[in-house]
Amino acid sequence: MPPPDSLIDPLGYGAVSYWLETAGDDLTPRPALRGEIDADVAILGAGYTGLWTAYELLRRDPSLRVVLLEREIAGFGASGRNGGWVASGLNASSDRLERAFGSERMAAIEDAVAGAVDAVGVAIGREGIDADYAKGGSLTVARGPEQVPALEAHWAGLERTGRAAGYRRLDATETSERIRIEGALGSVYGSQYAVVHPGKLVRGLARAVERHGGTIYEQTPVTDVEPGASHLRPALRTTNGLVRATVVVLAGEAYLTQLRPLHRALLPLYSLIVLTEPISDGDWAAIGWRAREVLASYRLSVDYLSRTADGRILFGGRGAPYRFGSRIEPAFDRDAPTHALLRRFVETWFPSLRGIGFSHAWGGPLGMPRDWIPTFSFDRAAGIASARGYTGHGVSTANLAGRVLAGLILGEQDELTSLALVNHRSPNWEPEPFRWIGVRFTQESLLRLDARTARTGKPPSGRSLAERIADH
Ligand SMILES: Cc1cc2nc3c(=O)[nH]c(=O)nc-3n(C[C@H](O)[C@H](O)[C@H](O)COP(=O)(O)OP(=O)(O)OC[C@H]3O[C@@H](n4cnc5c(N)ncnc54)[C@H](O)[C@@H]3O)c2cc1C
């Protein structure tokens, strides 16, 4: 039985998302930790960050004793719920990274994240993880005249920062040759993007970590993180036990906000998803989308789509309300108005699918730092490492994080451990009620702006307060 403070609903872990349901893995929880144990590295969280870190450590030094403590089961968090985009970039724009770190260090970050798209493919090939990985590229579409200026700005940014070579600007006809989308006036195609079955990836990775000698304890909530001091190594304390280790890794992304010292380090922002029933071959022939490109538009309130390997459309978006006090609860995974909006979008993007059935709807929290910039950190004196703050671009970035954290922990010095993201410190979010007021204002304003610009065909000004706050 799950412990009383488990987040899981009575339907079982398969109900968390279509991805966990169809991961092809036994979701019966692994044994929980009971009592005190000792390890070299103890990791909080068995999502992509924790698992890639464990995997990279064990590949480099198979003698290490690596232990993961997972509150629910491996893949319970965003890693088992996401949109399947293996993205070539961070959510933070090149401009923002350049302002923070300068152009050379910005380029090093962007190259490293882009490289992670292939690194995921190579690692799962090596480990025999069949995660439906397909490198079909990305398409960011201007759906209507109101989105054309954003497309122009996107393209200008790629040219200015010297990244246009990996992208192509497509007109309406070229766009429809790839995917026929109602109202699409043009798009930016990026070649360095892939799509994956997130559940097969995270569950397969957990098995790989075990094959390499790691131990995963599930249904084991960490209640306290004890930093190391001169006479004592750091520890993770759980409801029924404790792991003392040379290094502790905090890999809980949005859920880290539930630990007091990290409460304001991130904002847990809910992203929600709907999934269609399998689409007929005839309908697919009309739509195209043969390469399984990951797909989005320039909506301010964010949308993202993917075509699953079994022929469904996944439509995700970020409209669901932020909850006062950064609360995270299973009930927030489903928000009826947001899910209804996403279902309507499927039909407006693809009118030939009007009346299509939807089989699944779910969601989950992602972690957003105040300055949009993730961090890979290691404090050797305290013995605490962490990687977090991917703002919805964690599938590739967590793989990079795993390689960076393993390098930092093992004392390696190379281009990854000297990335500007290493030991980057984001400011904390505002205390409540200011946090709730600011975030809800921005969320509501962006949804209203999207609705208005879609109705009028006029682009947003870019000068409204909400746009300036949300400018990443
Ligand atoms: C709906 C949705 C769609 C997304 N779509 C995309 C996408 O298409 N592409 C993309 O790149 N990114 C996407 N993201 C973001 C991406 O999924 C995440 O950035 C990534 O999975 C983060 O991995 P993680 O391991 O750091 O965190 P998580 O996967 O959230 O894992 C953290 C783990 O820690 C555990 N945990 C938390 N607290 C404790 C504790 N106290 N004790 C023990 N265990 C604990 C949790 O149970 C969880 O399993 C999406 C996110 C969501 C929610």
Side-chain angles (χ1 to χ4, degrees), residues 233-298:
R233 295 184 307 151
L236 292 178
R237 194 170 285 283
T238 74
T239 11
N240 293 307
L242 177 129
V243 188
R244 198 161 291 287
T246 308
V247 176
V248 153
V249 180
L250 306 180
E253 189 61 338
Y255 303 89
L256 291 175
T257 57
Q258 313 300 294
L259 295 170
R260 181 140 299 285
L262 291 169
H263 183 59
R264 285 165 53 204
L266 297 170
L267 190 82
L269 206 59
Y270 273 82
S271 198
L272 265 54
I273 286 175
V274 296
L275 188 75
T276 68
E277 297 281 3
I279 290 169
S280 70
D281 291 347
D283 279 330
W284 275 125
I287 292 170
W289 207 344
R290 283 175 299 277
R292 295 187 58 214
E293 300 91 336
V294 291
L295 179 61
S297 79
Y298 291 96

Side-chain angles (χ1 to χ4, degrees), residues 2-352:
D5 47 356
S6 164
L7 286 170
I8 189 61
D9 61 46
L11 290 174
Y13 290 112
V16 165
S17 71
Y18 172 75
W19 301 129
L20 285 188
E21 182 190 317
T22 59
D25 195 27
D26 180 2
L27 302 182
T28 309
R30 295 167 168 89
L33 174 69
R34 306 220 177 277
E36 292 199 16
I37 60 167
D38 198 81
D40 295 310
V41 181
I43 300 176
L44 177 159
Y48 299 141
T49 302
L51 291 166
W52 282 122
T53 304
Y55 176 74
E56 289 296 332
L57 283 166
L58 289 163
R59 253 168 58 81
R60 292 164 204 214
D61 183 351
S63 71
L64 286 174
R65 293 166 305 154
V66 178
V67 165
L68 291 103
L69 305 182
E70 165 56 50
R71 176 187 186 118
E72 303 287 348
I73 59 165
F76 174 82
S79 301
R81 307 174 185 220
N82 61 72
W85 280 54
V86 191
S88 177
L90 298 176
N91 202 319
S93 65
S94 305
D95 280 349
R96 182 175 281 269
L97 295 173
E98 195 172 9
R99 279 198 305 274
F101 306 122
S103 57
E104 221 167 278
R105 303 192 84 198
M106 173 271 283
I109 294 169
E110 297 201 326
D111 287 345
V113 179
V117 176
D118 293 331
V120 169
V122 169
I124 64 178
R126 187 195 302 127
E127 294 300 327
I129 300 170
D130 180 5
D132 301 335
Y133 176 95
K135 196 172 169 191
S138 68
L139 216 56
T140 314
V141 185
R143 282 196 65 239
E146 72 280 7
Q147 294 187 2
V148 171
L151 183 152
E152 311 271 0
H154 180 190
W155 184 254
L158 291 169
E159 285 191 319
R160 193 185 64 74
T161 53
R163 309 200 81 72
Y167 292 82
R168 275 187 17 234
R169 202 179 151 153
L170 307 184
D171 63 19
T173 311
E174 291 165 323
T175 302
S176 73
E177 281 162 5
R178 286 190 169 272
I179 312 179
R180 275 176 287 292
I181 302 159
E182 181 73 8
L185 298 178
S187 60
V188 171
Y189 169 77
S191 55
Q192 186 63 7
Y193 285 76
V195 65
V196 78
H197 184 307
K200 291 181 181 175
L201 173 59
V202 72
R203 299 293 300 179
L205 200 51
R207 301 275 173 207
V209 164
E210 289 174 320
R211 276 197 306 279
H212 286 269
T215 306
I216 304 173
Y217 294 98
E218 295 186 331
Q219 296 196 330
T220 299
V222 172
T223 50
D224 257 315
V225 180
E226 293 179 8
S230 52
H231 57 289
L232 201 59
R233 295 184 307 151
L236 292 178
R237 194 170 285 283
T238 74
T239 11
N240 293 307
L242 177 129
V243 188
R244 198 161 291 287
T246 308
V247 176
V248 153
V249 180
L250 306 180
E253 189 61 338
Y255 303 89
L256 291 175
T257 57
Q258 313 300 294
L259 295 170
R260 181 140 299 285
L262 291 169
H263 183 59
R264 285 165 53 204
L266 297 170
L267 190 82
L269 206 59
Y270 273 82
S271 198
L272 265 54
I273 286 175
V274 296
L275 188 75
T276 68
E277 297 281 3
I279 290 169
S280 70
D281 291 347
D283 279 330
W284 275 125
I287 292 170
W289 207 344
R290 283 175 299 277
R292 295 187 58 214
E293 300 91 336
V294 291
L295 179 61
S297 79
Y298 291 96
R299 249 173 76 83
L300 295 169
S301 40
V302 180
D303 49 27
Y304 52 92
L305 297 81
S306 51
R307 174 179 172 166
T308 65
D310 66 348
R312 303 160 187 263
I313 292 178
L314 174 152
F315 201 115
R318 283 220 203 121
Y322 163 74
R323 308 295 175 145
F324 190 89
S326 294
R327 277 190 306 143
I328 295 177
E329 287 180 18
F332 305 159
D333 293 350
R334 291 171 174 83
D335 179 60
T338 309
H339 276 141
L341 184 69
L342 298 175
R343 285 189 200 99
R344 281 202 300 281
F345 281 150
V346 173
E347 299 193 346
T348 51
W349 282 57
F350 305 106
S352 62

